[in-house]
Amino acid sequence: MLQQGIQALRRFSTGRAYFKNKLKLALIGQSLFGQEVYSHLRKEGHRVVGVFTVPDKDGKADPLALAAEKDGTPVFKFPRWRVKGKTIKEVVEAYRSVGAELNVLPFCTQFIPMDVIDGPKHGSIIYHPSILPRHRGASAINWTLIMGDKKAGFSVFWADDGLDTGPILLQRSCDVGPNDTVDALYNRFLFPEGIKAMVEAVQLIADGKAPRVPQPEEGATYEGIQKKENAEISWDQSAEVLHNWIRGHDKVPGAWTEINGQMVTFYGSTLLNSSVPSGEPLEIKGAKKPGLVTKNGLVLFGNDGKALMVRNLQFEDGKMIPASQYFSAGETPVVELTAEEVKVAEIIKVIWAGILSNVSVIEDSTDFFKSGASSMDVVRLVEEIRQKCGGLQLQNEDVYMATKFEDFIQKVVRKLRGEDQEAELVVDYVSKEVNEMTVKMPYQCFINGQFTDADDGKTYDTINPTDGSTICKVSYASLVDVDKAVAAAKDAFENGEWGRMNARERGRLMYRLADLLEENQEELATIEALDSGAVYTLALKTHIGMSVQTFRYFAGWCDKIQGSTIPINQARPNRNLTFTKKEPLGVCAIIIPWNYPLMMLAWKSAACLAAGNTLVLKPAQVTPLTALKFAELSVKAGFPKGVINIIPGSGGIAGQRLSEHPDIRKLGFTGSTPIGKQIMKSCAVSNLKKVSLELGGKSPLIIFNDCELDKAVRMGMGAVFFNKGENCIAAGRLFVEESIHDEFVTRVVEEIKKMKIGDPLDRSTDHGPQNHKAHLEKLLQYCEAGVKEGATLVYGGRQVQRPGFFMEPTVFTDVEDHMYLAKEESFGPIMVISKFQNGDIDGVLQRANNTEYGLASGVFTKDINKAMYVSEKLEAGTVFINTYNKTDVAAPFGGVKQSGFGKDLGEEALNEYLKTKTVTLEY
C-alpha cells in the first residue's frame, strides 16, 4: 500500500505552470534547511504567515529567523511550547493569531503540542531523514549508516500523536555509497532533494491531491539519539561493521576509542579493498590487532581479517590531525607573518567576527566551535575566505584541524606559502624567450606527483620542426620508470585520496584544471607551436581551446554517472531487486599521437579521470612538452599525487610495457593501425585489459555537382590541409563529380597559391612545418610513388627550400582505384582527387567504401535526400554533410573497420573507462 501511494505521487508535476492553488503557511522549525524550504515556498507563491523558531543562541539568530525577518514575515522565538505537559496559553494564542492553513515542519527540535499540530485546516507535515517506518527517531541519518543500509532517503509525513508514525505523504530514496558519511548523504541528496520534496508536498496539499498512506508496523525501527558516551567503538566486529559505526558518527558525535590513555575520535573512514600498506604499529585499547599508521592514514582491522582506514584523528583537547601524522604530531613552529599576510589575517578575523557574532572580540585563543559555530558555518568560512582573500582555497577539514584562531591563521599562512603540501613540487624548467613571453617547459618524467629523471638517466632531443634545432633534452623513460608510474597510479586508486573522493569534488578539480589550461593557453599554444609545428593561431583555438572545453565537459559528467534498476523474474515467494552500478576500472594507460599533442591527451584523459580512474600517459616521443606542462598544471589544480603520471619515451619500450603491464586495466591508443594491432595483441596476451583504438583513416569526401561550389572548395581544402594535413580525419581521397571536376581543381590550386607558408608563430602564417623530419621524408616518398604510378601532380609535391621540415601543399588528380595514393593514408598536406561519372551515386559509394578504413567521411550536395542516402551508405564512424572537421566535445568520435573501435568524446567516451556491475538482492 505504501509503495502504491508513493508511485502515485510520481505522476504529479512539480513545474510552476501546473501549480495554481496557494496556501497560508506556518513554518515551525530551524536551520539552514528550514530557511531554504521557507524561501522556496515563498518563491512558489505560497504565503508564509508566521515563522516559529528557536531563540537566538549566544546572540546569533537561526538562519530561518534571519531570512524571515529580512522579508518582514512575523517571527516568533519561543524557548518552549508547553510546561509540565501543559500547553503555554500565550504561545498558542500567538500561533493562532497568524491564521495558518497548514503547518510545515522542515526541521524542528522542539515538542509541538497536538492542539497546534491539528489546529490548521490541513494539519501539519514533517520532514524526516529516513525511509519510514525504518529509523524513527532523531538520529535517523546516523543509524542509516550504522546499520549498513544500502538505501537512504527521506519521508514527508502527516504529523500525529506518535513519534514519526503519521501517514506518509511522499518519500524519496537514494543509494548509499560504501564510503558515504552523514555529511555526504545530506549534502548530495537529503538536503537538495528534501527542499524540493517539501515544496512538492505543500502543493499537493493545496491541490487536494496529497495522499495519506498509513505506515506499516512491519520493518519499523526506533533508535535513540547518539551521544558521545555511547559512541565508543567495540572492536570485536568485522571491518565493515567497524567502518559503518565510524562513518555513522562522523562528524557528530564522533566514534572514539582509547589510545595511550586518551580518548581519540576517528573521522574519514573508508573500507580498504586492496593490500594493506606498510606502516608503524599503534596499540589500541580493546583491539586484538594493532592499527598501522601509514602514509595515507590509520589502518584498522576487523575480526574477519579485513581492514579499513581512517583519515583524521581528534584528541580530547579538540585538536585534529591527519592520522598519518600520529607519530609526528608535535608542536609546529610558529611562523612570522609578512605585512601582506597580516592583512590577510585581519580580513579573516573580520570573517570570524561576522560568523561568531556572539563573541565580542576574536582573540588568538578563540575556538571556532566552542564559540558556537556549526558545520554550516564551516562552509561559510571557507567560501568567504575564498571570495575575500584572492581565491584562497581551503578545505572544510582545514577548519576542523585548526579550530583556534591563532592555529587557523598559521594554517592559512602555510597554505598561502605552499608549505602545507605533502611535498613541494620542484620543477627544473627549460626556459625560452619566444613569442613575446618566457616559456617554461618541464622536461622530466612525472611520476607520483614529482618530476624526476629517468631511472637510468637517459635523455633524448626534442626538435623544433620550424628550423630543426633542439628545443631541449627530455627524459627517456625506462621499464623501471613505467613500473614506478603504474605502481603510483595503483596506490592512488586503491589507497589514496582520489579513491575516496566524491564525484562532485573530482569534478571540481577537473574544472580547476580546465581553468588553469585556459589561464596558460598562450604559453601552451607557444609550446605546441615549438614542439609540433602547429600554427599558433590554430593551436590557440583548437589544440588548446578544445582541450579546455573537453575538461570542462567531462568535469560536468563526474556526478552524473549512474546505473539503472532492472525488472527481473522474482524468485517466489521472495522478491528481488536488481540494479547496475558504473564503476571505474582502475589504472588506465593512455598512448597519444603527435599531431594534436595536448588535445589528444585531453580527449582521453578527461573521460578517464571523470570516471574516477588513475592514469599513466605516454605522449608521442617527438612531442612530449605540452603533456609535461599539463602535469605541472594538474598539481596546481590540486590533483592528488599518483593520479596523473606522464612518461615520455619510445613506443617500443614504454608503450610496449604499458600494453603488457598486469596492473593496467584499460589502454586507450591513438595512432597507426599496425601499432594498434600490436597493442591489442599484447593487451590480450597479458591480462585481457580493455582496449579502445583510434587508428588510421582514408576518409572519402564526395563532392556532387549540385553542391555550393565555393563552400565545397573552401571546406575541401580544410578537409585536407587543416593542421598541415596531420589530421586523423583528413579527407584522404576526394571524389569529385565529372562535370565540376576541372573547375574544382583549378579553384583549389588558385587558393593554395594564396596560402602563406612560414613560421608557425607568425600570426599571418597559414601553413607550418610538418611535425618531424622522418614524416616529411615519408610524405615526399608518398608523392614520388604517386608520380611513378601515373597520377597527375598538379601542384606541390616538394619540400620548401628553407630551414625546417616544410612541405608544399600538394594536389594529385587522375588517381585510379588501384593506385597506392588511393589506398594508403598520407597524413600530410596532399589532396588526392578522383573523378566519378555524373549521376553515379552508387558507383562512387562503392569506390568510397572500398577501403579497410572507416574513420570519417563527407559529402557535399544541396539535395538533402541524396545527402541522407549517402550518409547511410558510407562505412565510417563520422559523416560530415556540407561541412568538414566539425568535431565537438559532446559528439562521440571513433572509427569502424581497421580505423579501430571505441569512442572519444561525448557520453559514450565515459563507457570506455567504466565497468558495469550487476547487483541482485533478495528481500
Side-chain angles (χ1 to χ4, degrees), residues 28 33 102-110 112 114 117 123-130 132 154-171 194 197-198 201-202 205 215:
I28 304 175
F33 182 71
L102 174 68
N103 292 331
V104 178
L105 285 73
F107 174 72
C108 182
T109 59
Q110 295 177 313
I112 310 301
M114 285 307 299
I117 291 292
S124 303
I125 59 170
I126 302 176
Y127 171 91
H128 184 78
S130 79
L132 293 172
F154 58 81
S155 307
V156 179
F157 68 95
W158 299 93
D160 64 4
D161 59 358
L163 185 62
D164 304 330
T165 57
I168 300 297
L169 196 162
L170 61 79
Q171 290 182 321
M198 289 298 283
V202 170
I205 295 168
Q215 289 190 41

Side-chain angles (χ1 to χ4, degrees), residues 205-222:
I205 295 168
D207 295 335
K209 296 180 179 180
R212 292 175 181 260
V213 182
Q215 289 190 41
E217 282 307 307
E218 182 182 354
T221 64
Y222 172 81

Side-chain angles (χ1 to χ4, degrees), residues 376-395:
M376 286 310 303
D377 293 318
V378 173
V379 177
R380 175 181 167 183
L381 176 61
V382 169
E383 288 302 307
E384 278 203 66
I385 289 174
R386 182 183 63 79
Q387 186 180 58
K388 297 177 181 178
C389 297
L392 175 60
Q393 186 65 60
L394 300 177
Q395 304 300 321

Side-chain angles (χ1 to χ4, degrees), residues 127-269:
Y127 171 91
H128 184 78
S130 79
I131 306 173
L132 293 172
R134 188 164 174 79
H135 303 311
R136 293 169 177 164
S139 295
I141 313 177
N142 304 76
W143 284 103
T144 297
L145 295 175
I146 292 169
M147 301 301 290
D149 292 0
K150 303 304 181 186
K151 286 281 184 181
F154 58 81
S155 307
V156 179
F157 68 95
W158 299 93
D160 64 4
D161 59 358
L163 185 62
D164 304 330
T165 57
I168 300 297
L169 196 162
L170 61 79
Q171 290 182 321
R172 299 285 185 269
S173 66
C174 69
D175 292 332
V176 178
N179 295 314
D180 274 340
T181 62
V182 172
D183 281 353
L185 281 176
Y186 188 70
N187 294 329
R188 184 180 77 239
F189 185 79
L190 300 176
F191 184 89
E193 295 303 318
I195 294 165
K196 296 176 188 176
M198 289 298 283
V199 175
E200 180 180 352
V202 170
Q203 193 58 53
L204 287 169
I205 295 168
D207 295 335
K209 296 180 179 180
R212 292 175 181 260
V213 182
Q215 289 190 41
E217 282 307 307
E218 182 182 354
T221 64
Y222 172 81
E223 297 92 6
I225 298 174
Q226 282 303 96
K227 298 181 180 180
K228 194 72 175 182
E229 54 265 29
N230 56 17
E232 183 177 5
I233 300 169
S234 175
W235 288 102
D236 191 18
Q237 302 181 88
S238 69
E240 183 175 3
V241 172
L242 293 174
H243 165 65
N244 289 336
W245 183 263
I246 294 169
R247 67 175 177 145
H249 291 83
D250 187 343
K251 296 273 190 304
V252 178
W256 62 275
T257 191
E258 187 178 316
I259 302 177
N260 292 329
Q262 183 177 184
M263 178 191 289
V264 179
T265 305
F266 293 165
Y267 298 105
S269 173

Side-chain angles (χ1 to χ4, degrees), residues 366-436:
T366 301
D367 188 286
F368 193 68
F369 296 105
K370 291 180 181 178
S371 299
S374 66
S375 59
M376 286 310 303
D377 293 318
V378 173
V379 177
R380 175 181 167 183
L381 176 61
V382 169
E383 288 302 307
E384 278 203 66
I385 289 174
R386 182 183 63 79
Q387 186 180 58
K388 297 177 181 178
C389 297
L392 175 60
Q393 186 65 60
L394 300 177
Q395 304 300 321
N396 291 359
E397 286 183 0
D398 293 328
V399 186
Y400 290 111
M401 291 185 182
T403 60
K404 291 182 180 179
F405 183 74
E406 181 180 33
D407 296 338
F408 185 74
I409 292 300
Q410 291 284 309
K411 188 161 194 67
V412 168
V413 170
R414 290 190 175 90
K415 179 80 73 171
L416 285 168
R417 297 179 183 181
E419 295 174 3
D420 68 332
Q421 297 177 3
E422 291 183 6
E424 183 181 357
L425 179 66
V426 177
V427 187
D428 189 7
Y429 298 108
V430 169
S431 297
K432 287 188 178 294
E433 296 293 330
V434 62
N435 201 23
E436 300 181 354

Side-chain angles (χ1 to χ4, degrees), residues 833-849:
I833 302 175
S834 302
K835 69 174 67 172
F836 66 95
Q837 292 181 354
N838 294 331
D840 188 11
I841 299 175
D842 289 325
V844 74
L845 278 170
Q846 184 177 4
R847 296 172 68 190
N849 287 329

Side-chain angles (χ1 to χ4, degrees), residues 412-709:
V412 168
V413 170
R414 290 190 175 90
K415 179 80 73 171
L416 285 168
R417 297 179 183 181
E419 295 174 3
D420 68 332
Q421 297 177 3
E422 291 183 6
E424 183 181 357
L425 179 66
V426 177
V427 187
D428 189 7
Y429 298 108
V430 169
S431 297
K432 287 188 178 294
E433 296 293 330
V434 62
N435 201 23
E436 300 181 354
M437 68 179 75
T438 302
V439 177
K440 300 169 73 174
M441 297 171 284
Y443 60 88
Q444 298 166 294
C445 300
F446 182 73
I447 300 172
N448 204 26
Q450 294 292 318
F451 285 103
T452 180
D453 290 334
D455 182 73
D456 56 11
K458 287 186 178 180
T459 63
Y460 69 95
D461 294 341
T462 186
I463 305 298
N464 182 345
T466 301
D467 58 11
S469 64
T470 297
I471 302 172
C472 63
K473 291 187 178 296
V474 178
S475 293
Y476 189 80
S478 66
L479 295 178
V480 173
D481 297 308
V482 176
D483 289 347
K484 286 180 180 178
V486 174
K490 186 172 187 285
D491 187 58
F493 181 79
E494 295 181 349
N495 303 314
E497 179 186 353
W498 183 255
R500 299 189 299 266
M501 190 178 293
N502 66 58
R504 199 158 295 166
E505 176 67 11
R506 193 162 69 240
R508 187 189 68 78
L509 291 181
M510 291 184 65
Y511 276 122
R512 176 63 181 143
L513 181 54
D515 290 344
L516 285 169
L517 291 171
E518 189 169 52
E519 289 169 19
N520 293 272
Q521 60 183 336
E522 289 86 1
E523 184 179 19
L524 287 163
T526 302
I527 297 172
E528 205 85 316
L530 290 175
D531 205 24
S532 76
V535 173
Y536 175 78
T537 50
L538 176 65
L540 201 60
K541 179 182 183 297
T542 302
H543 291 232
I544 315 305
M546 195 171 188
S547 300
V548 173
Q549 293 174 24
T550 303
F551 268 94
R552 287 198 176 128
Y553 174 81
F554 283 108
W557 267 111
C558 287
D559 61 355
K560 300 170 187 68
I561 298 169
Q562 54 190 333
S564 58
T565 55
I566 302 171
I568 66 169
N569 289 336
Q570 307 293 338
R572 297 178 180 177
N574 297 312
R575 296 174 64 81
N576 296 103
L577 170 65
T578 295
F579 60 91
T580 59
K581 298 170 63 181
K582 297 287 188 179
E583 298 179 342
L585 299 169
V587 181
C588 297
I590 293 173
I591 302 175
I592 56 173
W594 43 257
N595 58 327
Y596 295 102
L598 187 65
M599 193 174 80
M600 291 295 99
L601 176 154
W603 280 25
K604 294 189 187 302
S605 63
C608 174
L609 293 168
N613 302 286
T614 57
L615 65 87
V616 179
L617 182 140
K618 193 200 84 65
Q621 183 172 344
V622 292
T623 54
L625 296 181
T626 45
L628 294 170
K629 190 69 178 179
F630 167 84
E632 178 193 350
L633 296 178
S634 74
V635 176
K636 292 181 178 180
F639 277 79
K641 64 180 183 180
V643 174
I644 295 170
N645 303 272
I646 310 291
I647 48 168
S650 74
I653 296 175
Q656 183 64 28
R657 177 58 178 156
L658 288 173
S659 66
E660 295 171 345
H661 204 292
D663 288 333
I664 289 175
R665 296 299 171 191
K666 158 70 196 276
L667 191 148
F669 172 76
T670 295
S672 71
T673 296
I675 298 299
K677 290 179 178 180
Q678 178 60 42
I679 284 175
M680 190 172 176
K681 180 179 178 181
S682 297
C683 289
V685 171
S686 57
N687 62 342
L688 273 178
K689 57 178 65 71
K690 189 174 182 180
V691 183
S692 57
L693 304 172
E694 195 254 279
L695 306 176
K698 188 66 176 173
S699 302
L701 174 57
I702 303 173
I703 301 175
F704 289 99
N705 60 15
D706 60 351
C707 69
E708 185 180 329
L709 191 56

